[in-house]
Amino acid sequence: MNSAPSIPQVERKVLVASLILAGAMLALIAYAAIRLGISVPGCVTNVKPFEEGELIQVAPGRYEAHVVAKKWSFIPNLLKVQKGSVVDFYVTSKDIVHGLMIDGTDVNLMALPGVVNYVQARFDKPGKHQIICHEYCGTGHHDMIGTLEVTP
Ligand code: CUA
């Protein structure tokens, strides 16, 4: 008599196929991470929190925006950059949790006390973008508005 129950032929095939598929996916993840250098995007930096908000032009067409969020404004309140510029945004908070979103762009960061968050963006079209706090932060939340102006 046969003591070990035999796995039906079809089930065995499905099992093998699923193991091959899982192995292939793990291999692709390893390939992407090791050979292509692709990683999960992160925005938290190890930059030391700054107190001063400022827009620094580091080169023609290159800016660093150090933005401090506080109850209930952004410092600086107006960022003026030239068309075609690349801007590195570093964002922190002086007090509580705020947000920083730039209307019409992909810039969308949390502004957290003690942490500096980062994103890079390019501005090719002249015009004005509203900067808004998208994290409810108290009675003055709706007043937390700034402007990013792209000059021609
Ligand atoms: Cu700051 Cu809402």
Side-chain angles (χ1 to χ4, degrees), residues 23-150:
M25 283 179 183
L26 284 175
L28 279 175
I29 291 170
Y31 176 75
I34 297 162
R35 291 299 301 272
L36 303 181
I38 295 169
S39 64
V40 175
C43 61
V44 177
T45 67
N46 54 11
V47 174
K48 272 181 108 184
F50 41 82
E51 292 277 300
E52 302 279 309
E54 55 186 334
L55 179 70
I56 307 156
Q57 181 160 20
V58 289
R62 286 303 304 259
Y63 296 86
E64 247 180 49
H66 294 192
V67 182
V68 177
K70 66 177 184 72
K71 287 189 269 179
W72 282 284
S73 60
F74 293 109
I75 310 166
N77 184 264
L78 172 67
L79 302 171
K80 246 185 182 175
V81 302
Q82 265 183 339
K83 184 183 102 177
S85 294
V86 174
V87 185
D88 292 303
F89 290 93
Y90 294 91
V91 178
T92 191
S93 167
K94 220 172 194 169
D95 39 46
I96 56 171
V97 174
H98 299 278
L100 182 145
M101 197 186 111
I102 303 180
D103 169 48
T105 72
D106 290 337
V107 178
N108 182 337
L109 292 171
M110 297 296 293
L112 305 169
V115 175
V116 176
N117 283 345
Y118 168 79
V119 73
Q120 189 181 74
R122 191 188 161 93
F123 298 91
D124 285 322
K125 276 197 211 138
K128 283 185 179 176
H129 299 268
Q130 208 170 47
I131 304 172
I132 45 181
C133 175
H134 58 52
E135 194 64 33
Y136 182 72
C137 55
T139 52
H141 167 68
H142 60 279
D143 286 331
M144 274 190 80
I145 297 168
T147 307
L148 184 139
E149 189 179 341
V150 185

